[in-house]
C-alpha cells in the first residue's frame, strides 16, 4: 500500500515513522465506492485492525462555502483550531508547520499545497525537508437548502508495524483520528460562533493555557 | 467564592473555589441571587450519572445579576437575568431550528467523545451536569460564567421577584414541554407520573393547554395534595392498582397521553425494580424505568408518550411490543429552554401560571448539603428547595 502510493515514513521521532497519506492516496480514499450497492465514503469501510488507517470526518457548518474556504486557505489561521499546531511560518511556495511533540519539543513539517480549487478543496503534503511525512485534504461542498456547507477533512496514515505501531504513534503524537475530529469540531465552533467553546471557569484552565504550560 | 461541590455519592460540600472569569467575548459573569436544587441533581447526588468529578460545582437552575460582560455579550451590567440550564450557541443547525438542547457547539470538542460513544451523538453543554455535558461549573455558587450570554439568559422585569421567575431556567419549561410533547387535545385525559416539581408543572401546563382531565400519580400525600391544588385528580400508587384505576377513570378507553416526570430512579418494590436498583448500584447502567413501563401499558392505542424524566443508560424488559402494537408516539429530550422562556415569562406576568406554590424551603447557600439530603430523603415535605447566596445579609 505504502509503496504503491509513494508514501514515505520517517523514523525521526523515537523510531516511529508516522506516514500520513499522500494527496493521491487521499483522493483514492475520497472516491465513493462505485459499483456494488454502497455509496458511503471509502474511509467508513470496515477494515481489519492493523491495516492502513484512513481518517475522514465531515461536519456541516452554517456558513457559506467561500467564507470557510478563505479562512482555511490562510494557513496562518490553522493553529487557532488545530490542537497540535503551534505555529505556521509561510515562505512563498511552502510553509513550515511547527507541530507539538512530547516533552516540550516540536517537529517541523515543511508542507506545500498539492491541490487547490477555490471554494472547493485544498490539499497539502509534506516535502522531503520535513521531520515527518504527513498530508491532508479538506473539501467544501454545499449542504442542502440553507444548511450551509459540508466540510470534510480527510487524512490517511499507514502506521508502521500495524496495530503496535499505531499504539506507539498514539503515545508520541496524540491519536491522529481523535485529533482530526476535535480540530474539525473546533473549526466548526469558531466559524459558527466566533469563538472556541470552552467550559473552563478561569482563563488559566483553558485548553490553550494548559498547552502553554505543558508545551 | 463559595460553591456547592460534588465529592462522591451522597457527598456534596460547600467549598471555597476560584471566582470565574470572562474567557470568550460572548461570556457574562452572573452574581447568583437564587438557585434551586433539581430532581436531576439528585441523579448526580445518587451517583447514577457518569462523568462527574470530585470538586465539580453543581447547579443548573439559577438567576442573578450581570456583573461582568465580554465585548460581544448583549447583556448589560446590573440586569437581572434567568439563565437556561441548556447552553446554546445560537449559530448551529440545531439552534437554528430551535432544538437548543441539541446545540452542536456548546459542549467543547474535546469533551464530546464520551456522550457520542454512549448515545451515537454528543450531548450539548449543560451547566453543572457532569463532563458528559461539558463539565461546566454550575450555579449553586456565588458567581457563574455564562458562555453565549447573548443567546440564553432572559432579562426579567424588576417587579417580578426571584421566586416567581427562577424556574424559567429549567423545570417550568420542562413541565411545559412535557405537556406540549403529549400533544394535548381538548377532550383528552392525561396521566402524569411523578408529582415532583417537573410533574407539577406538567400538570399545570396540561390544564392550561385544555386537557379535560389530568390524573397525577405519586405516593407522597403532600405532593399529591399540591397536584390536586393545581386541578388534577390523584392516584397513590402504593394504595391503588394504577393501570386498573386509569382504565376506569378514562371510561375504559385508556388515557390519551402519558407523561413520565419520574425518570431513572423510579420508586417501586416489585422484584424487577429491586433488580434494577441492584444493577444501578454495581454500575452496569440499568435505568429503573418502572414509571415509564407502566405508562406505556396504560396509554390508549394511538396515544402519546412524553418523557421529560431523565434516563442515562439502558433498561431491561422494555415493553417494546406494546409500543409498536398500540402504535404509540414517543417524544422526549432535555428541554429546549430558550424556545419557551419569553412566552412563559408572559404567562407568569399575566398570572396564567403559578410558579411559587411548590417552593417548600428557602435556604442560604451554606445549607445546600442539608438541602440535598432532605430533598432526597424527605420528599413528602421537601418539594422544592431554593438556595439564596445572600440570605444571611438579606435578613
Ligand atoms: N427533560 C429535562 O430537561 C428535565 C429537566 C428537569 C428535570 N428532569 C427530570 O424530571 C424528573 C423529575 O424531576 P423532579 O425535579 O420533579 O424530581 P423529584 O425527584 O422531586 O420528583 C420525582 C417524583 O416521582 C415520584 N415517583 C417515583 N417513582 C414513581 C413511580 N413509580 N410512579 C409515580 N411516581 C413516582 C417521586 O415520589 C417524586 O415525587 C427527573 O428525572 C429529572 O431529572 C428533566
Ligand atoms: Zn433541572
Ligand atoms: Zn448551537
Amino acid at each position: 500500500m505504502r509503496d504503491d502510493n509513494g508514501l514515505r515514513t520517517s523514523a525521526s521521532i523515537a523510531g516511529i515513522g508516522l506516514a500520513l497519506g499522500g494527496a493521491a492516496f487521499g483522493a483514492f480514499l475520497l472516491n465513493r465506492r462505485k459499483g456494488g450497492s454502497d455509496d458511503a465514503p471509502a474511509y467508513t469501510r470496515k477494515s481489519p485492525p492493523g491495516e492502513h488507517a484512513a481518517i475522514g470526518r465531515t461536519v456541516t457548518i452554517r456558513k457559506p462555502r467561500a467564507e470557510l474556504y478563505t479562512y482555511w486557505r490562510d494557513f496562518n489561521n490553522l493553529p487557532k483550531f488545530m490542537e497540535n499546531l503551534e505555529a505556521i511560518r509561510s515562505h512563498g511556495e511552502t510553509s513550515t508547520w511547527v507541530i507539538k511533540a512530547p516533552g516540550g519539543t516540536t517537529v517541523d513539517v515543511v508542507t506545500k499545497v498539492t491541490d487547490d480549487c477555490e471554494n472547493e478543496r485544498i490539499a497539502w503534503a509534506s516535502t522531503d525537508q520535513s521531520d515527518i511525512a504527513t498530508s491532508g485534504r479538506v473539501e467544501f461542498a454545499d449542504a442542502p437548502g440553507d444548511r450551509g456547507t459540508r466540510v470534510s477533512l480527510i487524512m490517511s496514515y499507514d502506521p508502521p508495524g500495524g496495530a503496535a505501531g499505531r499504539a506507539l504513534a498514539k503515545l508520541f503524537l496524540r491519536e491522529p483520528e481523535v485529533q482530526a475530529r476535535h480540530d474539525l469540531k473546533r473549526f466548526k465552533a469558531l466559524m459558527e460562533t466566533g469563538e472556541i467553546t470552552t467550559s473552563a471557569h478561569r482563563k488559566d484552565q483553558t485548553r490553550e493555557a494548559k498547552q502553554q504550560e505543558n508545551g | 467564592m463559595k460553591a456547592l461541590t460534588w465529592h462522591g455519592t451522597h457527598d456534596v460540600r460547600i467549598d471555597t473555589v476560584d471566582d470565574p472569569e470572562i474567557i470568550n467575548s460572548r461570556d457574562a459573569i452572573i452574581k447568583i441571587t437564587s438557585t434551586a436544587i433539581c430532581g436531576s441533581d439528585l441523579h448526580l447526588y445518587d451517583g447514577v450519572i457518569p462523568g462527574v468529578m470530585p470538586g465539580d460545582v453543581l447547579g443548573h437552575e439559577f438567576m442573578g445579576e450581570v456583573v461582568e460582560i465580554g465585548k460581544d455579550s448583549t447583556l448589560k451590567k446590573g440586569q437581572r437575568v434567568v439563565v437556561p440550564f441548556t447552553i446554546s450557541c445560537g449559530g448551529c443547525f440545531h439552534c437554528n431550528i430551535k432544538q437548543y438542547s441539541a446545540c452542536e457547539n456548546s459542549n467543547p470538542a474535546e469533551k464530546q467523545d464520551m456522550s457520542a460513544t454512549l448515545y451515537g451523538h454528543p450531548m450539548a453543554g449543560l451547566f453543572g451536569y457532569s463532563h458528559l455535558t461539558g463539565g461546566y461549573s454550575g450555579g449553586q455558587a456565588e458567581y457563574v460564567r455564562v458562555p453565549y450570554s447573548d443567546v440564553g439568559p432572559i432579562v426579567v422585569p424588576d417587579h417580578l421577584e426571584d421566586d416567581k421567575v427562577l424556574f424559567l431556567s429549567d423545570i417550568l419549561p420542562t413541565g411545559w414541554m412535557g405537556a406540549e410533547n403529549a400533544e394535548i387535545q381538548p377532550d383528552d385525559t392525561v396521566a402524569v407520573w411523578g408529582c415532583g416539581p417537573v410533574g407539577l408543572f406538567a400538570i399545570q401546563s396540561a390544564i392550561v393547554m385544555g386537557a379535560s382531565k389530568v390524573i397525577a400519580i405519586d405516593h407522597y400525600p403532600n405532593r399529591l395534595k399540591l397536584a390536586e391544588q393545581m386541578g388534577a385528580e390523584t392516584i397513590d400508587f402504593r394504595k391503588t392498582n394504577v393501570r386498573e384505576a386509569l382504565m376506569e377513570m378514562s371510561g375504559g378507553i385508556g388515557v390519551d397521553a402519558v407523561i413520565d416526570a419520574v425518570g431513572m430512579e423510579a420508586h417501586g418494590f416489585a422484584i424487577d425494580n429491586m433488580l434494577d436498583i441492584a444493577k444501578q448500584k454495581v454500575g452496569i447502567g440499568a435505568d429503573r424505568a418502572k414509571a415509564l413501563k407502566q405508562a406505556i401499558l396504560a396509554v390508549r392505542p394511538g396515544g402519546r408518550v412524553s418523557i421529560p424524566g431523565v434516563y442515562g443508560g439502558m433498561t431491561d424488559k422494555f415493553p417494546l411490543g406494546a409500543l409498536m402494537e398500540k402504535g404509540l408516539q414517543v417524544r422526549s429530550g432535555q428541554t429546549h429552554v430558550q424556545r419557551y422562556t419569553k412566552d412563559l415569562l408572559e404567562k407568569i406576568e399575566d398570572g396564567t401560571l403559578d410558579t411559587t406554590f411548590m417552593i417548600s424551603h428557602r435556604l442560604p447557600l451554606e445549607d445546600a448539603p442539608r438541602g440535598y439530603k432532605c430533598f432526597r430523603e424527605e420528599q413528602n415535605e421537601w418539594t422544592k428547595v431554593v438556595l439564596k447566596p445572600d440570605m444571611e445579609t438579606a435578613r
Side-chain angles (χ1 to χ4, degrees), chain B residues 38-40 42-43 85 170-171 174 193-199 217-220 223 237 261-264 266-267 290-291 308-310 333-335 375 379:
Chain B
C38 178
S40 299
L42 293 182
H43 303 320
F85 77 98
D170 177 357
I171 51 171
T174 296
W193 274 256
C195 297
V198 170
I217 305 151
D218 205 305
H219 63 111
Y220 292 118
R223 290 184 173 217
F237 71 80
V262 175
M264 66 199 287
H267 308 164
K290 180 128 200 310
V310 162
Q334 296 284 355
T335 307
F375 184 48
Q379 293 220 315

Side-chain angles (χ1 to χ4, degrees), chain B residues 88-92 95 103-105:
Chain B
S88 309
C89 78
C92 70
C95 285
C103 174
E104 298 153 68
N105 291 317

Side-chain angles (χ1 to χ4, degrees), chain B residues 16-38:
Chain B
T16 300
V17 303
D18 289 333
D19 287 0
E21 290 176 329
I22 298 277
I23 297 172
N24 283 332
S25 62
R26 292 167 64 186
D27 292 355
I29 304 289
I30 310 293
K31 180 179 191 297
I32 310 285
T33 53
S34 294
T35 173
I37 304 176
C38 178

Side-chain angles (χ1 to χ4, degrees), chain B residues 189-193 215-217 235 240-255 258 294-295 298-299:
Chain B
T189 299
V190 180
V192 179
W193 274 256
I215 304 169
I217 305 151
I235 295 175
T240 300
N241 180 331
V242 174
R243 268 167 58 204
E244 200 181 322
L246 287 175
M247 277 304 277
E248 294 310 303
M249 292 162 89
S250 60
I253 291 180
V255 289
V258 290
Q294 196 171 56
V299 70

Side-chain angles (χ1 to χ4, degrees), chain B residues 166-188:
Chain B
L166 171 61
F167 301 145
L168 284 170
S169 58
D170 177 357
I171 51 171
L172 179 61
T174 296
W176 186 268
M177 187 170 112
E180 195 176 81
N181 280 346
E183 287 176 24
I184 292 162
Q185 311 295 311
D187 298 329
D188 277 356

Side-chain angles (χ1 to χ4, degrees), chain B residues 29 32 52 85-86 95 148 259 283 290 304 350 367-368 384:
Chain B
I29 304 289
I32 310 285
V52 198
F85 77 98
T86 43
C95 285
Y148 307 125
I259 301 175
K290 180 128 200 310
R304 286 93 54 191
D350 69 18
D367 280 356
K384 187 73 186 178

Side-chain angles (χ1 to χ4, degrees), chain A residues 67-82 85 88 90 187 190-191 196:
Chain A
E67 188 181 329
L68 302 180
Y69 167 87
T70 307
Y71 192 88
W72 196 296
R73 185 63 187 82
D74 180 357
F75 284 171
N76 293 317
N77 284 327
L78 301 186
K80 289 186 190 154
F81 60 90
M82 287 194 166
L85 210 49
I88 289 200
S90 299
F187 177 60
L190 186 58
M191 294 296 99
I196 299 213

